[in-house]
Amino acid sequence: MGDRIEPFTVEVSQDELDGLRVRLQNARWPDEAPGDGWTRGVPLARLRGLAEHWQSGYDWRAQEDRLNAFPQFTTRIDGQRIHFLHVRSPRPDAKPLLITHGYPSSVAEFLHLIDLLTEPEPPDGQAFHVIAPSLPGYAFSTPLSGPGWAMGRTAAAWVELMRRLGYERYGLHGGDVGAGVSGTVAGLDGARVIGVHVVTDPLTAANVATFMPGMADRLDAADPVDKAILDRMDAFRREGSGYLAIQNSRPQTIGYGLVDSPLLLLAWIAEKVHEWTDLPVDDDQLLTNVSLYWFTRCGMTTAHTLYEQAHSTDWGPPASVPQGFAVFGADETVRRIIPAPAGTHWSEFPRGKHFPAMEAPAELAADLRTFFGPLT
C-alpha cells in the first residue's frame, strides 16, 4: 500500500442496524440496584431510557450522514489501518491542527467542534485545517494489527500521517489519551510542531497524579489544596479506577462482553460520560460514539490499547515547543499538579470537565484560536 491515502465513507449495513435493534429489544434487564442514584453504577432508569432511545428513537442514518459530511480517509502506517477526518478550511490563512480523542471516545467527540475551527466566528479569528484520526484500535482504525500500540507508537504514526499529508508546520490538541499522544508527537517532531494544546480538569489531573511516582509524598495533607488533591486521588483509587484496572489487566476477558452486549457497552461508556462531565452532553452524540464502538466491534481492541499503555515505558522525548493548557471546571488544584513553566498559555473555565469538545465546544474553539493565533 505504501503511502497511499484512500477516501473512506461510513457505511453500516441494514443487517447490522437490525441486529442491534433485536439485541436491544431482547435485552435481559436486572432489578434496580440498592442505594441511591449513581453510587453503584448507571441507574436502571437511565440505562433503560438510553437503550430504548438507541433502539427506536435514535437515527443512525442521520448521524452517519453527519459523519460523512466531513471528508474521511484511511491509510496504513506501521502495519496499522489509520482512519482520519481531514477537513480543510476555506480560509487561506488556516493552520493545520491535529486533534486526538481519548477513551472512551472517538472522532464523534469533535462533531460540534470542527466547524467552529474550520470556519470560525468571528470570521477574522484564526482558522484551522482539522486532521482528526481515530486512535489505533478505535472505531475505523481497526482491526488492531497486533500488540505494542501505546502512546509512543501512536505518536510516531501521527508524525508519519502529517508527513504524508504534506504539512510542514502544524499544531496539536488533545485530551485524555489524546493529550499524552499530542505531547509525545511534539517531542518527536518538534521541528515541525508550532505548539501543543491540551485540555484537563481537576478530576483528570488527580487521576493522572495517582500514577505519578512520588506525587502523594510531595503533597501535604495539612494544606487545604493538597488535601483536596489527595482526597481525589484516594477516591479515584477506591471508587473510580475499577474500569481501568480490569482493562489494564484482563482486556481480553472484558472485551468479550463489550463486543457482544450492547447493554454492557452502553453502560460502560455512559457511566464515564456521566462521571466525567459537568455540562450536558446530547444523548444522540453519546449514542453516536457508542454506536461507532458497537458497529466496529472495537470494545476489546480499545481495552487492549489501554493494557498496552499501562505496561509501556515508551514516553518519547520531552516537548520543547510552546504549550497551552485549558482547564475546565477549574480550581486551584490543577496548577499544583501541573506546574506550568512561566510563559505557558493557561486558561481556566468554571464549567465543563473531561469532554469539553462535547460540553463546551465554543469555549474550547476560542481558546484554541487564542493559543495558536500568534504561533507560526
Side-chain angles (χ1 to χ4, degrees), residues 98-102 110 131-133 135 154 158 173-175 177-179 181-182:
L98 175 62
I99 61 177
T100 307
H101 65 82
F110 303 128
I131 304 93
L135 287 165
T154 300
W158 278 198
H173 165 74
V177 176
V181 171
S182 296

Side-chain angles (χ1 to χ4, degrees), residues 8 80-81 83 101 105-108 134-144 288-289 291-299 301-302:
F8 178 82
Q80 174 64 44
R81 180 168 108 147
H83 161 264
H101 65 82
S105 194
S106 67
V107 294
S134 298
L135 287 165
Y138 288 67
F140 301 110
S141 289
T142 51
L144 200 60
T288 298
N289 183 57
S291 296
L292 288 176
Y293 277 63
W294 177 256
F295 292 131
T296 62
R297 295 161 172 76
C298 74
T301 52
T302 59

Side-chain angles (χ1 to χ4, degrees), residues 336-361:
R336 191 72 59 91
I337 299 170
I338 305 174
T344 298
H345 171 87
W346 187 278
S347 296
E348 296 185 350
F349 301 88
R351 301 294 304 277
K353 281 187 181 176
H354 192 70
F355 299 104
M358 294 195 290
E359 299 175 81

